[in-house]
Amino acid sequence: MAWKNPYIQNVVLEKALQTIGSKKPLPIKIWSRSSTILPIFAGLRFSVYNGKDFFLLSITPEMAGFKFGEFVPTRARYKFKKKKKKK
């Protein structure tokens, strides 16, 4: 059975390859949450757009094979309201 190749947007791959050799790489801004994280991205920092703002993501070798969107929350966490005590 043939497996699918990992999907990665060309712009993301080009920007990552440019910053791999630089001394102090700046975070790479990307909008493609469906792109796959490749093993060569280990050590790079990406700013992934979650629909409202950019979320800083540092890539580790364990993240290879996952999608960028899996590590960036798109919904706010619900905060329960504190109940007031009666006197």
Side-chain angles (χ1 to χ4, degrees):
M1 177 177 202
W3 293 94
K4 293 181 181 179
N5 292 332
Y7 169 76
I8 182 147
Q9 198 173 29
N10 289 336
V11 177
V12 175
L13 187 59
E14 289 171 4
K15 286 182 181 180
L17 291 176
Q18 289 174 357
T19 59
I20 284 177
S22 63
K23 297 273 183 189
K24 271 197 164 184
L26 294 173
I28 303 166
K29 278 190 172 184
I30 61 170
W31 286 261
S32 176
R33 294 168 42 89
S34 61
S35 292
T36 306
I37 299 173
L38 299 178
I40 61 169
F41 295 165
L44 294 179
R45 296 180 345 179
F46 289 89
S47 289
V48 185
Y49 192 66
N50 70 353
K52 184 177 178 184
D53 43 51
F54 287 92
F55 190 84
L56 189 62
L57 184 66
S58 297
I59 304 299
T60 60
E62 293 83 24
M63 293 179 177
F66 290 95
K67 305 283 184 178
F68 282 104
E70 294 183 59
F71 301 102
V72 181
T74 56
R75 298 176 184 205
R77 297 192 67 148
Y78 183 74
K79 296 177 184 173
F80 289 97
K81 296 178 182 174
K82 303 281 183 179
K83 290 186 178 179
K84 294 182 180 179
K85 291 186 179 180
K86 294 182 180 178
K87 291 185 177 180

